[in-house]
Amino acid sequence: MPKTITITGAAGQIGYQLAFRIASGQLLGQETTVNLKLLEIKPALEALKGVAMELEDCAFKALGEVTITDDPSIAFGDSDFAFLVGAKPRGPGMERSDLLIENAQIFSIQGKAINRNANKNIKVLVVGNPANTNALIASANAPDINPRSFSAMMRLDHNRAIAQLAKKTNTHSSQIKKVAIWGNHSTTQYPDITNSLIGSEKAKSMLAQDWIENDFIPRVQKRGAEIIQARGLSSAASAASAAIDHMKDWELGSSEDDWVSMAIPSDGSYGISEGIIFSYPIICKDSKYSIVQGLDLDKFSLESIKASEEELLEEREAIKHLL
Ligand code: NAX
């Protein structure tokens, strides 16, 4: 059965990476035909046409039809998987609260379009920032779709944490397991290695607490800014790669001996307010996710997690008229 995959902001940096990787079979494999529905705003439609032409020129085996549009109801028509990447960037003099409100409008329109037009079992990944609260808005505007279908991307933060641990311990990233990112995709996120393993050893026993608190955690939290500083542009290929990791694991299952990090609607686990889109350690199986339960959280972890929860509650308050 062919699958319909929507990408919003498809002419942007991340969209340009994502579309080709999905079309080449890196999400659902070579044997599943994917029909891409690419959404952009009107001024970017010409550029999007160029993206569609390049997709055609790749002659990918797994690619079916490509639709380009600026109409959300067309873009989300029969959608099985949606990557909500397009968002308004923070302009000069814009406060974080202005950014929230500007983007809130976009995600409320897209939530309604998903509700009316998508497959009822759709899986939605919000990448566009502020991703967690945008996912909340989209979900609230799609009352006929299970809220568990909406998630926000923390996988880039998760992968960044793994990469930093591998570098520090001179190991390969494949040897690092059970990293968790808790909270919001912002600098309040809590990269947690309390239960992480490097090979068969506890990461905590190999690393100084001072390095964890004063080097590792802030580095992961601020890695996005470090990339902008170096590249002059924000992370794009790594973000698209993380988006594929997120959706692929959700659909096909994550490794049995490992966790991933996904921001999903809180069910109250670990005392987090219900409903906010909060990142937890997650296991995916049978096309569903579940929160890893029963972890001990020390005082430092609890305080860090609470700070990120507070921020998400403030964000929810700022856009409550759209919920
Ligand atoms: P770009 O500015 O290159 O692309 C965004 C695209 O979205 C543009 O082509 C724009 O025309 C389009 N767009 C804007 N409003 C739209 C709408 N209403 N409907 C459809 N398309 C619309 O940004 P890019 O570097 O691709 O980043 C996209 C988003 O990802 C940003 O919000 C960015 O902050 C966010 N990120 C989130 C990450 C995460 O881990 N959650 C990491 C990477 C990235 O920074």
Side-chain angles (χ1 to χ4, degrees), residues 8-9 11-15 39-41 44 85-89 106 110 126-129 131 153 156-157 185 234-236 239:
T8 75
Q13 285 204 91
I14 297 172
L39 180 71
E40 261 294 349
I41 48 174
V85 181
K88 214 163 187 163
I106 296 176
Q110 293 183 358
V126 177
V127 175
N129 279 321
M153 190 164 91
L156 180 54
D157 309 292
H185 172 69
S234 56
S235 314

Side-chain angles (χ1 to χ4, degrees), residues 202-259:
K202 279 271 210 186
K204 275 257 195 183
S205 65
M206 295 170 71
L207 297 160
Q209 190 60 22
D210 179 57
W211 180 81
I212 297 169
E213 282 182 32
N214 299 315
D215 203 329
F216 169 74
I217 293 176
R219 185 116 207 215
V220 174
Q221 289 170 329
K222 295 181 193 148
R223 182 67 166 179
E226 203 182 333
I227 301 287
I228 294 175
Q229 183 74 23
R231 213 171 82 86
L233 288 167
S234 56
S235 314
S238 55
S241 189
I244 289 183
D245 288 347
H246 175 118
M247 199 65 105
K248 190 174 178 179
D249 282 345
W250 190 1
E251 178 65 8
L252 303 175
S254 54
S255 299
E256 279 185 10
D257 60 346
D258 200 1
W259 304 338

